[in-house]
Amino acid sequence: MLNYSMLYPRESVSRRAVSLDGMWKFCLDWNSDGESKSWQEGIPGDDMIPVPASFQDFYTDKDIREYAGDLWYEKDIFVPGEWKGKQILVRFGAATHRAVVYVNGIKAAEHEGGFLPFCADVTDIVRYNAYNKVVVKVNNELTVTNIPCGQTVTLPTEKKMCKPYFDFFNYSGLQRSVWLTALPKESVFDIDTVNELCGQDAKVSYKVRTTGEHPVTVELLDAEGNRVASCDGKEGVLEVKDAHLWKVRSAYLYRMVVRIVDEGEILDEYAQEIGIRTVEVKGTSILINGEPVYLRGFGKHEDSDIVGRGFNIGVMKRDFELMKWIGANSFRTSHYPYSEEIYQMADREGFLIIDEVPAVGLFESLMNFMDASTGKQTAFFEKETTPILLQAHLRAVEEMITRDKNHPSVIAWSLLNEPETTSDAAVPYFKEVFDRARELDPQKRPRTFALVMNSTPDKCKCYQFSDIIALNRYYGWYVSGGYDISTAEVLFRKEMDAWKALDLNKPFIFTEYGADTLSSEHKLPSVMWSQEYQAEYLKMNNEVFDSYDFIKGEQIWNFADFQTTEGIMRVNGNKKGVFTRQRQPKDIAYKLKERWESLPLGYKG
Ligand code: EVA
C-alpha cells in the first residue's frame, strides 16, 4: 500500500497547492561524493536549470549530455505561517529514475522509478513564515533491477555511460512539475469509481479512503455545475438519471466533489473530473459503452527539442491538435506513464489511452528492435536479480493504476513492452504482474503487453495473460524491407494465419508498425528511408490489417521522430515519425488522415 496519496494536487477550501516550477540550482556529481561534501544542505556552484525539463539538451558539452550518475537540484521554498497545523508535502510529478529528497538538510523522502509521482512529507521539518531549502539528489543510472532496464558502464575515460536496453534516449532529471501542497490533517487520500450503465441512466459506485474517521459526502455535478446526484458515506452509489456518457472523441465530464465533514464544517474538499463510460472486451471486440471501437492512433513519446522528456504544455497542445486533424482516436503511452496533464487533456478531448508502465528493456539487447527480429533469445527472467526487478515492476504497476484509475481516457493497461516471452521463467513473472493489475483496478480494465517480433504464436509463452493481444510488428522494415516487401507480406500473413488458427477469441491490435523515414528524402521509385517507401510500407500493412476481422486497432510507430542513443541504426534519433520532431507532417500523414477519417468507429465491429 502506498504511503502517500496519488491524487493530483488541486486547491479547494481546505487545500493549497503552489507550483515550484521554474529555475532550480543544479549541479552534477562527477565523483559521486556529494553527500560526503554535505550537498544535502546546499549544492555548490551557481548554475540554474528549468524544471520541468530533462537536463541533457541544454548544454554544449557532450560529457554533460551523456552524463550518468547523480544530479543535484536545489530550491528555496517559502512556507506560509497560515499553513501551521496542516500536512505539508513536496510533490514530484516524477524524478528520473530515482531520487532522495532533503529539506533543510534532513532526508524527507526517497523514491525509486522515474515516471510516477511521489511526495515528501515535510510537515515536521519545515520552518513557517520562512524559506526552507529543498535539495534533491536524482540518479539516472540504468540497471536490471529497476524499470526501464539497461546497464551503466565505466568508460576508459572513467566517465560512466548508460546503455539502455530500449530505443529512446535516457532523458532524466526533474522532468515533471513539482508542487508544494498543504492538506488538512484529515484528508481525502484515494478515490475509486466504477461505472455501470442502466438504460438511459447510470450508476457510479465509489469508494473513498481518508486519513481519518469523520463522515464523507459525495456530490456529482454536471458540466454546467448542476448537482445531479449525491451520496453519503465512504462507499456508495451515485445514481445519475439520463446520464451523459463519455464517448470516444466526444467527451463529457462530470465533477465529483468529495468532502469530509464534521457537523456542517468541511474538513477537506477534493474535486476531480470523471467520465461515465464502460470498457469491456467481449470476444474479439473492444467495447466502450457497449459499442465496438476500432483503435486508430499512435505509439508516442514525451520527447521534444531542448527540453527532451520534460513536460511541455505547448507540445502537448500541438500533439492533440495533430491527433485530431489526422483522425486518430487513441494512443499508447509508450514506454512509461506520461505526465498527468496529458491524461487530463485526453479526458477532455475524448481520446483513448493504453497506459503503459515503464517495463521496457526486459530483453537483454542494446538493439532489441533488431535482435528480436532475428529470433534471438535472452533468458531475461532467469537472472538472480529477477525477484528484485519484479518488486520494482509491481510497485510501478501499483503507482500507475492508483494514479490513473479514474481517467475515463484510460481504457487498458500495458504491463510490459517487448519482453522476452519464449522461456518458461517468464510465465510466473507475468502472472504476478497481470494478477496485481487486476486486483488494483476497480474498473477491471483489459490488460495487455506489446509482443516483440520473436513472440510468435508458436514461441510466445505469455500471450494468454493478455485480454487484448498487442503486436509490435515490422514486416517490411526489420524483416524483408525495400524491394523485398512482397516477401514481408507473405511472412506477415503467415504469422497472422497462425494466430487466427489458435482461435483465441480475443481482439488483436497493432501497437507498433512503422518505417524510418527522413523528412528530407524523396525518391522515385522508392528506397527505404524515403517518404515514398513509408507510403508503400503503410499500404502493405493496411492491406494485411484489413484482411483479418479480429484485428481491432492500429497504432503506428511513431507519432513523431524522437531522440535515441546514437548508433549506426539511428540517424540522430528514430525517424519513424508520421510527424517530424518539430511536429510537421511527413507525406504519410495525409494518407493516414484519409484512411482514418474513412474508417467507421466500429470498423469490423
Ligand atoms: C523501433 N521498435 O524499432 C521501435 C522502438 C520501440 O523504438 C520497438 O518497442 O519494437 C520498440 O521502442 O523503432
Side-chain angles (χ1 to χ4, degrees):
M1 193 80 83
L2 305 176
N3 62 0
Y4 43 81
S5 170
M6 279 291 197
L7 296 176
Y8 189 75
R10 290 205 170 88
E11 298 210 294
S12 74
V13 288
S14 53
R15 292 173 170 242
R16 295 290 171 268
V18 174
S19 168
L20 299 181
D21 292 355
M23 297 303 274
W24 286 54
K25 261 185 90 175
F26 180 71
C27 83
L28 301 176
D29 191 350
W30 294 100
N31 304 315
S32 307
D33 59 358
E35 256 126 0
S36 68
K37 293 186 194 144
S38 301
W39 290 7
Q40 58 276 27
E41 287 160 26
I43 68 173
D46 54 10
D47 191 18
M48 303 210 53
I49 201 174
V51 170
S54 310
F55 74 92
Q56 282 101 337
D57 286 353
F58 294 122
Y59 297 95
T60 53
D61 178 347
K62 190 156 178 172
D63 286 337
I64 299 183
R65 191 185 69 203
E66 302 296 326
Y67 176 85
D70 295 336
L71 337 154
W72 291 74
Y73 290 78
E74 177 187 317
K75 195 172 185 78
D76 289 334
I77 60 166
F78 188 79
V79 180
E82 311 86 270
W83 289 9
K84 250 185 213 158
K86 304 247 177 210
Q87 187 190 22
I88 315 294
L89 303 166
V90 183
R91 193 216 198 236
F92 295 85
T96 319
H97 296 285
R98 54 192 64 78
V100 185
V101 181
Y102 299 94
V103 176
N104 300 334
I106 299 165
K107 185 166 154 186
E110 208 168 346
H111 185 259
E112 182 74 26
F115 299 95
L116 287 155
F118 64 96
C119 294
D121 187 337
V122 296
T123 315
D124 299 330
I125 303 177
V126 287
R127 291 187 289 267
Y128 292 89
N129 260 343
Y131 276 95
N132 292 265
K133 193 172 290 302
V134 177
V135 172
V136 191
K137 182 180 82 164
V138 181
N139 175 280
N140 71 346
E141 290 173 47
L142 297 173
T143 65
V144 289
T145 50
N146 192 19
I147 47 176
C149 294
Q151 308 166 2
T152 303
V153 301
T154 304
L155 303 174
T157 58
E158 290 186 358
K159 299 248 158 43
K160 284 189 278 189
M161 181 183 180
C162 285
K163 302 222 167 194
Y165 294 163
F166 50 85
D167 184 36
F168 48 92
F169 193 76
N170 187 38
Y171 281 123
S172 33
L174 295 179
Q175 305 186 120
R176 295 184 187 162
S177 291
V178 186
W179 296 89
L180 174 66
T181 69
L183 304 184
K185 275 274 145 69
E186 189 169 339
S187 61
V188 177
F189 190 84
D190 191 22
I191 303 169
D192 283 357
T193 57
V194 177
N195 309 302
E196 190 189 328
L197 311 184
C198 334
Q200 297 299 101
D201 307 334
K203 287 184 184 166
V204 180
S205 316
Y206 69 83
K207 233 185 237 175
V208 173
R209 266 182 68 205
T210 70
T211 58
E213 296 308 324
H214 282 95
V216 164
T217 67
V218 178
E219 259 184 12
L220 198 66
L221 311 179
D222 68 13
E224 278 81 50
N226 306 311
R227 186 158 103 169
V228 294
S230 62
C231 193
D232 290 343
K234 289 189 178 181
E235 280 185 42
V237 180
L238 296 159
E239 313 252 2
V240 190
K241 288 255 159 283
D242 290 321
H244 209 136
L245 299 187
W246 187 96
K247 295 184 178 154
V248 187
R249 296 289 299 104
S250 171
Y252 186 93
L253 296 174
Y254 288 91
R255 207 172 159 72
M256 181 178 180
V257 186
V258 178
R259 296 192 181 93
I260 305 176
V261 287
D262 183 13
E263 300 186 356
E265 190 198 342
I266 298 173
L267 300 183
D268 188 21
E269 178 178 303
Y270 185 82
Q272 69 174 18
E273 279 167 337
I274 62 160
I276 300 181
R277 62 98 189 86
T278 59
V279 188
E280 192 188 350
V281 163
K282 215 180 207 168
T284 67
S285 295
I286 302 169
L287 305 176
I288 306 287
N289 303 328
E291 288 168 19
V293 292
Y294 185 86
L295 304 182
R296 32 182 216 253
F298 300 97
K300 288 185 96 259
H301 267 296
E302 287 184 286
D303 172 280
S304 63
D305 284 330
I306 318 285
V307 295
R309 189 145 293 119
F311 173 65
N312 181 322
I313 196 166
V315 171
M316 169 177 79
K317 173 72 179 163
R318 174 71 177 175
D319 285 5
F320 274 91
E321 289 305 316
L322 290 176
M323 288 194 290
K324 289 192 278 184
W325 170 81
I326 207 169
N329 63 17
S330 63
F331 60 94
R332 175 173 61 126
T333 68
S334 39
H335 292 308
Y336 36 82
Y338 290 177
S339 302
E340 291 150 290
E341 294 78 6
I342 295 175
Y343 300 75
Q344 293 163 6
M345 183 106 172
D347 289 346
R348 284 196 299 276
E349 297 282 7
F351 277 88
L352 306 175
I353 293 179
I354 300 177
D355 203 2
E356 187 157 279
V357 77
V360 54
L362 281 65
F363 185 105
E364 198 163 332
S365 165
L366 299 176
M367 284 206 277
N368 49 11
F369 43 89
M370 265 304 284
D371 289 337
S373 314
T374 65
K376 177 179 166 166
Q377 292 176 303
T378 69
F380 191 83
F381 297 102
E382 284 150 58
K383 293 182 197 299
E384 230 173 76
T385 50
T386 300
I388 309 174
L389 177 69
L390 176 61
Q391 288 316 310
H393 193 160
L394 292 171
R395 168 88 184 189
V397 169
E398 179 172 9
E399 291 178 354
M400 174 178 78
I401 295 182
T402 310
R403 190 191 75 162
D404 295 339
K405 61 191 168 186
N406 292 315
H407 288 291
S409 54
V410 174
I411 58 150
W413 309 112
S414 171
L415 300 174
L416 311 98
N417 180 68
E418 301 203 334
E420 166 66 55
T421 64
T422 59
S423 75
D424 290 329
V427 178
Y429 187 101
F430 270 65
K431 184 164 177 359
E432 285 221 36
V433 171
F434 276 72
D435 285 353
R436 181 65 59 88
R438 178 48 47 100
E439 183 191 307
L440 289 165
D441 181 13
Q443 298 187 2
K444 309 296 173 211
R445 271 164 271 229
R447 299 151 303 166
T448 187
F449 74 100
L451 274 73
V452 68
M453 285 291 282
N454 75 343
S455 294
T456 47
D458 52 326
K459 298 218 182 70
C460 178
K461 299 197 167 155
C462 299
Y463 62 77
Q464 67 283 3
F465 292 111
S466 285
D467 302 306
I468 299 171
I469 310 276
L471 303 179
N472 292 356
R473 289 295 178 269
Y474 288 93
Y475 291 103
W477 188 253
Y478 296 120
V479 176
S480 305
Y483 190 49
D484 204 9
I485 194 168
S486 53
T487 311
E489 181 169 353
V490 169
L491 296 171
F492 196 178
R493 287 180 185 276
K494 204 168 147 204
E495 182 185 343
M496 294 319 296
D497 289 341
W499 284 115
K500 188 176 175 184
L502 289 179
D503 199 15
L504 299 178
N505 198 30
K506 288 184 180 183
F508 278 61
I509 58 173
F510 285 90
T511 34
E512 290 185 24
Y513 60 103
D516 281 279
T517 305
L518 295 176
S519 58
S520 57
E521 291 308 310
H522 276 291
K523 188 107 176 166
L524 183 66
S526 76
V527 288
M528 292 173 80
W529 295 88
S530 70
Q531 301 212 39
E532 285 72 13
Y533 187 71
Q534 196 177 24
E536 277 170 38
Y537 174 93
L538 179 73
K539 183 162 177 286
M540 184 279 274
N541 275 264
N542 288 342
E543 281 166 9
V544 175
F545 301 163
D546 291 340
S547 314
Y548 297 87
D549 53 14
F550 57 89
I551 294 175
K552 292 298 166 60
E554 49 192 67
Q555 295 187 326
I556 194 168
W557 192 255
N558 186 284
F559 173 76
D561 293 346
F562 59 93
Q563 194 65 55
T564 64
T565 308
E566 59 192 327
I568 51 168
M569 298 289 295
R570 296 290 177 254
V571 188
N572 182 19
N574 186 309
K575 302 293 181 194
K576 296 192 185 69
V578 169
F579 299 95
T580 62
R581 200 182 194 209
Q582 293 70 38
R583 273 53 180 184
Q584 296 304 333
K586 296 183 191 168
D587 289 356
I588 198 192
Y590 299 93
K591 297 218 184 294
L592 274 172
K593 179 173 166 64
E594 208 179 294
R595 173 175 169 82
W596 287 350
E597 285 182 339
S598 74
L599 292 181
L601 179 62
Y603 180 47
K604 296 191 233 168

